[in-house]
Amino acid sequence: MIFTGKITIYNSVERDFKKILIPKLLNGVHVEIQRGANKAADGDKNADSLFAIIPFKPFKSGFKEPFEYNGDAEQWTLAAGDIIAVGDTGAAENFAELTARAAAFRIVSVKGFDFGSIPHWEVTAQ
């Protein structure tokens, strides 16, 4: 199975007392976006979500578990609270900037499946 989706992962790190986002482009993933809204007293609330399948090959190289990640440019991680944007979205200062120009979501959960014909991560974001 060949995946054709493209996403950019933004890992958040603190440098010189300022949070910065470090992008990592992943080309060859599966991405599904569900659009929705929840009714609330003060109007509809966004309930969009993203589901991504990221194969270990070729992305396992450079991947670090969140507790091992140190912000090195050659490394990347999948951690709750980090950002996924659909497409090649380049550098960004913050989440608000990303949502203004692309479909961007915060990671809620990450599950690794290191078995079967396609070992992969399944990522859910909102």
Side-chain angles (χ1 to χ4, degrees):
M1 183 180 296
I2 297 175
F3 298 133
T4 59
K6 189 182 297 188
I7 59 174
T8 305
I9 304 286
Y10 292 88
N11 298 127
S12 178
V13 296
E14 191 169 310
R15 292 203 177 129
D16 299 325
F17 305 104
K18 182 180 178 187
K19 285 196 174 195
I20 63 168
L21 298 176
I22 300 175
K24 171 70 175 177
L25 177 64
L26 304 179
N27 192 9
V29 301
H30 175 74
V31 180
E32 296 176 17
I33 297 176
Q34 290 85 31
R35 301 285 182 193
N38 291 329
K39 295 285 185 190
D42 56 348
D44 291 347
K45 299 290 182 188
N46 184 354
D48 294 352
S49 63
L50 175 139
F51 175 75
I53 296 174
I54 304 170
F56 285 177
K57 287 184 180 180
F59 304 116
K60 190 89 172 179
S61 100
F63 176 80
K64 299 291 182 186
E65 292 295 333
F67 62 89
E68 299 173 315
Y69 180 71
N70 65 14
D72 185 301
E74 301 301 314
Q75 299 177 355
W76 68 285
T77 193
L78 292 167
D82 282 343
I83 301 168
I84 294 181
V86 178
D88 182 357
T89 52
E93 293 283 323
N94 54 49
F95 185 69
E97 177 188 335
L98 276 170
T99 57
R101 68 176 191 218
F105 303 84
R106 289 205 182 270
I107 295 174
V108 175
S109 69
V110 178
K111 296 177 186 173
F113 294 90
D114 196 7
F115 55 85
S117 61
I118 303 177
H120 63 281
W121 295 281
E122 291 185 2
V123 182
T124 303
Q126 293 181 332

